[in-house]
Amino acid sequence: MGSAGLNNRSNGQQYLGVTEPISLGGPSEFDVIKTQELEKCLADVGLYESQEEAVSREEVLGRLDQIVKTWVKKVSRAKGFNEQLVQEANAKIFTFGSYRLGVHGPGADIDTLCVGPRHATREEDFFMELHNMLEEMPEVMDLHPVPDAYVPVMRFKFSGVSIDLLYAKLSLWVIPEDLDISQDSILQNADEQTVRSLNGCRVTDQILRLVPNIQNFRTTLRCMRFWAKRRGVYSNVSGFLGGINWALLVARICQLYPNALPSMLVARFFRVYTQWRWPNPVMLCAIEEGSLGLPIWDPRRNPRDRLHQMPIITPAYPCMNSSYNVLSSTLRVMTEEFQRGNEICEAMKVNKADWSTLFEPYPFFEAYKNYLEIDITAENEDDLRKWKGWVESRLRQLTLKIERHTFGMLQCHPHPGDFFDKSRPFHCCFFMGLQRKQGKPANEGEQFDIRATVEEFKHSVGMYTLWKPGMEIQVSHIRRRNIPLFVFPGGVRPSRPAKGWGFDGKSVLKPKASDSVEADKNVGVAGETRKRKLAEGNGESSFTNIKHFKAMDSGCGGTEESEICKSHTSVIGSCSLDSDAARQRQHVEDNNVKNNSTDGKCHTAAASEGVTGEGSEIGSSLPIIAPGAATSTSREAEELAIEKIMSAQTINHTGFPEELDELEEYAMTDHERDLGGVMIGRANESLTTKPVQGLSVVGSRASCLQAGGLEELESPELPAPFHTRVPASSSNPQRKPLIRLSLSSMAKTTGTSS
């Protein structure tokens, strides 16, 4: 594994990560048995491919490597290179993602990267010449180039194996066969698309270098990916987490428990992330600024980085937040699921639950009384594929805008999947669960009129540059009893579960529309005892997270550092917390500020080698749990160690007042900027489906921000290609969406259907 990412403890031992491990304890006999049961469970549900399929994949990759080598020689010859240079010309295939991590399943696609020389261009040579070569091959099917994507890609099936092929054009004339793309110098003079394309391979390889036991990591990651898909929280585009995000979260747990078996790591995963106080970042190694000047995740300098809800930082330069799509609503859902997983793992210790309990699918269409149905149609299959991809990428904006325009009182839960009605050709639909914010009193007869918000969303979707006649979208409100049958397996609506369903009568397995206010706080402050320990023992900086940047000045002598100091001592908490949660965190963080004010400095000093910040100041004081420690004592020490890691990582999560307008402008699309901040209409206002320019604006952007807090409306990683015309279809009569919701009676759906 080498020495990459290794840091030294005070006793000379080495460890991986930005802090010392929480526990060095090994498995008990119980853990060995539970791990065997877990592996059998994963095998029984078909998560492992057959030997024949594995051989087929290797053959396809070998064939693809030969094709790109032939392609680059053909390109070189066409550009007038002499025969010697033509023979030396080379291209190489790398893999990344689930296949490279070793956690792919049967039928999964292979993420691949073609690395080519400087004279082989992306636009002409890759997306035209190589595309034409592949198109002529009988073993290649369903070839779809996407040159305008944030990360340009060609998708196709090669001998039945799905391939996603990226391209990276390096500044080299000849690509060596032993090319090491993990070196930062590979990024020298690379364009933005190349840096993004290389990032997947570089991050994947770095993850494998930074975990103490690759096999245990793989088994645990397989488990967590399967769990996330079963519980409906596996989807980057919907605002949940994707494959790389789950890999980074699991890798961090492996670092904190280096001697644990997979069953132990799964339990610790839920225990740690139930206590984790977002938006404190998860990092596998210190963030390095590098020498190439590429932008990195740095909330001190980048105001937008302070708005991220759930930062999970990639370990390869340039280090970025891999989970920028997460919203406050999807974070709430995932926080609840972590809590559920933690409770089940605790129950497994006393044989009151098993792995099948953990993997029970989430009953999305039983969890809420009200839903939004988003229907899309097109003229043919190719148009539907493009239209579906575009609409799906924008659904996150609908979720965000609804919650923002209702000041967070109406919460959305997007379903990560899509559904097809076989009786309707070229049709697809998505669903969102709706509920009143839990813990808030319901006023009888109170309504949420979000028609203006929906019209704004439809207008923005309709500005798709590749729009064609027949591409339609409808958004309608439906009750649970009216959910169409085609969304259920076999087209049969399942019977409603009895009240109190779940293991041991606990509410943890009940639908997610929880009565608990804790589920909505985005924080894992678990119990008065932990809060007391944290308040009493916390003498670390509330901004220690920022210490994980190398090559920084040690004091706050400069203007920038002075602003950092001022900001972290004056703005506390998260914009997504309610007042109770804010007060709880305020008590702890006030202690942080008091303890740090005596220094007169921001502790941004970095160690010259090894771990920086958290590892050097916090890690050394962590109560490391040695093998063989008493169970009760080790559990207490473990929880305290988790709290210690968290106690000094609270990041300022709200934008500074003077930056709000700037951030808002940067986050909005041109069309949204023209609209200003469109607020929801009242119940007695008449809002029709005419173009958005005719909407009545009942609130300014400033009032919207003041009431609901600031959230980014548009991720820079997913630019929206808008044009100025409204599609002709927008004037066609559509089924008017019933969006005026009466939610005063909405509660946890454990009884009979309404």
Side-chain angles (χ1 to χ4, degrees):
M1 188 181 341
S3 60
L6 285 174
N7 297 299
N8 292 316
R9 291 175 56 186
S10 56
N11 60 6
Q13 295 181 347
Q14 291 184 321
Y15 62 90
L16 292 164
V18 293
T19 64
E20 296 182 19
I22 290 177
S23 172
L24 300 176
S28 65
E29 183 178 352
F30 175 83
D31 297 321
V32 173
I33 294 174
K34 282 299 178 182
T35 295
Q36 293 172 348
E37 293 176 355
L38 174 61
E39 292 172 343
K40 183 179 184 303
C41 180
L42 298 180
D44 289 345
V45 296
L47 294 189
Y48 296 90
E49 67 178 358
S50 65
Q51 183 63 30
E52 293 77 10
E53 187 174 359
V55 171
S56 175
R57 288 175 182 271
E58 292 177 1
E59 292 175 349
V60 166
L61 288 174
R63 180 82 176 95
L64 185 60
D65 190 64
Q66 292 300 316
I67 291 172
V68 298
K69 292 181 188 306
T70 302
W71 160 74
V72 78
K73 294 182 188 301
K74 184 177 180 180
V75 168
S76 300
R77 185 174 287 109
K79 294 192 174 184
F81 286 71
N82 60 46
E83 193 60 27
Q84 179 181 353
L85 293 178
V86 169
Q87 294 305 315
E88 292 177 353
N90 190 32
K92 188 172 173 58
I93 291 291
F94 293 87
T95 61
F96 61 101
S98 62
Y99 184 83
R100 177 70 181 92
L101 289 173
V103 295
H104 60 287
D109 59 2
I110 304 179
D111 295 313
T112 56
L113 170 70
C114 173
V115 175
R118 62 189 304 170
H119 59 275
T121 65
R122 177 179 294 101
E123 294 77 10
E124 296 181 1
D125 299 324
F126 181 77
F127 278 109
M128 294 180 65
E129 184 62 37
L130 181 58
H131 173 273
N132 294 338
M133 288 177 60
L134 293 172
E135 196 171 35
E136 294 173 358
M137 297 179 178
E139 59 264 51
V140 174
M141 303 288 291
D142 301 332
L143 180 60
H144 299 298
V146 192
D148 297 327
Y150 182 70
V151 182
V153 60
M154 267 201 294
R155 296 190 171 100
F156 54 92
K157 288 186 177 180
F158 197 109
S159 299
V161 177
S162 297
I163 300 290
D164 284 356
L165 181 61
L166 313 183
Y167 180 64
K169 184 186 73 170
L170 302 187
S171 58
L172 304 174
W173 288 106
V174 177
I175 303 298
E177 272 299 307
D178 59 351
L179 178 68
D180 182 6
I181 60 174
S182 66
Q183 300 298 318
D184 292 349
S185 59
I186 207 75
L187 304 175
Q188 190 75 41
N189 299 322
D191 56 53
E192 291 184 6
Q193 291 92 338
T194 291
V195 172
R196 296 173 195 152
S197 299
L198 286 167
N199 191 55
C201 289
R202 289 166 52 82
V203 168
T204 304
D205 289 348
Q206 190 72 349
I207 290 174
L208 294 175
R209 293 188 184 99
L210 290 172
V211 294
N213 185 303
I214 292 179
Q215 187 55 51
N216 288 342
F217 163 75
R218 284 173 170 164
T219 301
T220 307
L221 181 54
R222 279 187 189 274
C223 171
M224 296 313 305
R225 285 164 56 96
F226 178 60
W227 170 85
K229 292 174 182 178
R230 297 282 282 183
R231 301 303 298 175
V233 291
Y234 189 102
S235 173
N236 184 277
V237 70
S238 298
F240 295 105
L241 300 181
I244 193 63
N245 310 126
W246 292 110
L248 291 168
L249 291 182
V250 171
R252 183 64 179 129
I253 300 302
C254 292
Q255 290 180 341
L256 294 174
Y257 301 90
N259 299 320
L261 289 182
S263 65
M264 303 166 64
L265 292 170
V266 170
R268 271 43 170 202
F269 180 98
F270 290 120
R271 183 181 302 172
V272 169
Y273 293 122
T274 293
Q275 292 182 235
W276 201 267
R277 290 201 301 276
W278 307 102
N280 296 292
V282 172
M283 298 184 290
L284 300 186
C285 59
I287 296 177
E288 299 186 16
E289 288 202 330
S291 60
L292 301 180
L294 297 175
I296 61 173
W297 186 83
D298 186 349
R300 301 167 308 170
R301 302 177 178 178
N302 307 324
R304 287 179 57 81
D305 290 347
R306 302 171 199 164
L307 306 178
H308 292 168
Q309 299 278 343
M310 192 181 187
I312 303 173
I313 311 304
T314 56
Y317 177 77
C319 298
M320 301 299 293
N321 177 23
S322 64
S323 52
Y324 57 84
N325 268 350
V326 172
L327 306 172
S328 60
S329 56
T330 51
L331 177 58
R332 170 183 57 85
V333 172
M334 288 186 285
T335 300
E336 294 174 359
E337 286 300 325
F338 291 157
Q339 178 64 36
R340 171 189 178 272
N342 186 50
E343 293 185 21
I344 292 177
C345 288
E346 291 298 318
M348 289 174 65
K349 294 181 179 179
V350 291
N351 294 320
K352 291 187 177 181
D354 54 22
W355 293 113
S356 63
T357 309
L358 182 68
F359 297 137
E360 284 184 1
Y362 177 66
F364 181 83
F365 292 108
E366 298 296 333
Y368 301 95
K369 288 185 177 181
N370 293 272
Y371 296 84
L372 281 185
E373 179 179 352
I374 300 94
D375 289 276
I376 62 172
T377 55
E379 290 289 340
N380 54 63
E381 185 176 351
D382 187 60
D383 285 354
L384 179 63
R385 177 182 57 82
K386 295 176 181 177
W387 183 230
K388 171 180 171 292
W390 168 247
V391 172
E392 186 176 22
S393 72
R394 305 298 297 172
L395 289 178
R396 171 178 169 271
Q397 307 305 316
L398 177 60
T399 301
L400 192 156
K401 291 178 182 180
I402 288 175
E403 296 198 348
R404 179 179 179 183
H405 293 173
T406 60
F407 312 116
M409 294 301 296
L410 183 60
Q411 295 177 331
C412 300
H413 179 176
H415 192 290
D418 48 39
F419 299 88
F420 297 89
D421 184 356
K422 295 181 179 179
S423 65
R424 299 176 61 184
F426 316 125
H427 163 266
C428 175
C429 63
F430 304 91
F431 291 88
M432 290 184 182
L434 299 174
Q435 71 172 8
R436 179 187 301 278
K437 184 175 182 179
Q438 298 302 295
K440 298 296 182 180
N443 299 324
E444 189 63 33
E446 181 182 4
Q447 295 177 326
F448 295 94
D449 189 346
I450 56 174
R451 288 176 295 178
T453 305
V454 169
E455 287 304 312
E456 180 183 348
F457 166 75
K458 290 169 59 179
H459 189 285
S460 67
V461 168
M463 303 305 288
Y464 181 42
T465 53
L466 300 180
W467 182 88
K468 295 180 181 180
M471 292 182 175
E472 306 284 352
I473 179 171
Q474 295 185 75
V475 181
S476 55
H477 164 232
I478 59 174
R479 302 282 289 180
R480 181 175 59 215
R481 62 176 176 267
N482 297 323
I483 294 291
L485 295 179
F486 64 79
V487 307
F488 301 108
V492 178
R493 185 187 303 272
S495 59
R496 293 292 313 284
K499 186 176 181 179
W501 60 287
F503 80 95
D504 199 25
K506 290 191 176 183
S507 62
V508 64
L509 290 184
K510 292 180 182 178
K512 197 175 281 128
S514 172
D515 291 324
S516 171
V517 181
E518 284 299 314
D520 183 54
K521 290 184 179 178
N522 299 345
V523 293
V525 182
E528 293 299 325
T529 301
R530 290 187 197 146
K531 284 184 284 184
R532 177 177 51 78
K533 289 179 181 178
L534 185 57
E536 292 174 354
N538 177 24
E540 306 293 340
S541 168
S542 63
F543 230 58
T544 302
N545 153 75
I546 302 305
K547 295 181 230 173
H548 293 283
F549 295 85
K550 293 188 175 181
M552 295 293 169
D553 295 333
S554 59
C556 290
T559 303
E560 185 177 21
E561 274 73 15
S562 299
E563 288 301 313
I564 297 167
C565 288
K566 181 174 66 175
S567 67
H568 99 264
T569 56
S570 61
V571 186
I572 297 177
S574 167
C575 65
S576 61
L577 299 179
D578 62 21
S579 58
D580 291 337
R583 282 193 294 270
Q584 291 174 359
R585 184 182 290 185
Q586 180 98 32
H587 172 68
V588 173
E589 295 184 356
D590 281 347
N591 289 332
N592 296 348
V593 173
K594 290 176 183 177
N595 290 330
N596 285 308
S597 62
T598 58
D599 294 339
K601 295 182 179 180
C602 284
H603 297 284
T604 55
S608 59
E609 293 294 335
V611 71
T612 62
E614 186 182 16
S616 58
E617 296 191 23
I618 306 175
S620 59
S621 62
L622 289 180
I624 302 299
I625 306 167
T631 304
S632 59
T633 304
S634 62
R635 178 59 185 270
E636 274 189 29
E638 185 175 357
E639 293 188 357
L640 182 58
I642 297 172
E643 291 289 357
K644 276 289 187 180
I645 291 177
M646 292 306 307
S647 64
Q649 291 194 86
T650 303
I651 288 188
N652 165 24
H653 195 221
T654 55
F656 298 118
E658 63 270 21
E659 295 166 342
L660 290 180
D661 288 340
E662 175 187 353
L663 292 175
E664 178 77 356
E665 292 290 338
Y666 184 63
M668 283 186 170
T669 63
D670 292 337
H671 174 65
E672 290 163 340
R673 213 176 283 128
D674 293 338
L675 288 173
V678 179
M679 303 286 288
I680 61 169
R682 307 309 303 169
N684 59 355
E685 290 177 336
S686 176
L687 298 177
T688 65
T689 58
K690 58 186 178 180
V692 179
Q693 286 84 345
L695 290 178
S696 173
V697 180
V698 286
S700 67
R701 177 185 305 151
S703 63
C704 180
L705 292 175
Q706 183 178 4
L710 175 67
E711 291 182 286
E712 57 178 326
L713 284 184
E714 179 64 28
S715 168
E717 286 79 2
L718 187 63
F722 288 150
H723 50 59
T724 55
R725 70 172 181 84
V726 178
S729 64
S730 63
S731 61
N732 294 342
Q734 294 186 1
R735 176 163 55 101
K736 184 168 178 85
L738 178 58
I739 302 299
R740 187 181 300 163
L741 307 180
S742 179
L743 301 176
S744 58
S745 61
M746 185 174 293
K748 195 171 184 90
T749 56
T750 56
T752 57
S753 176
S754 57

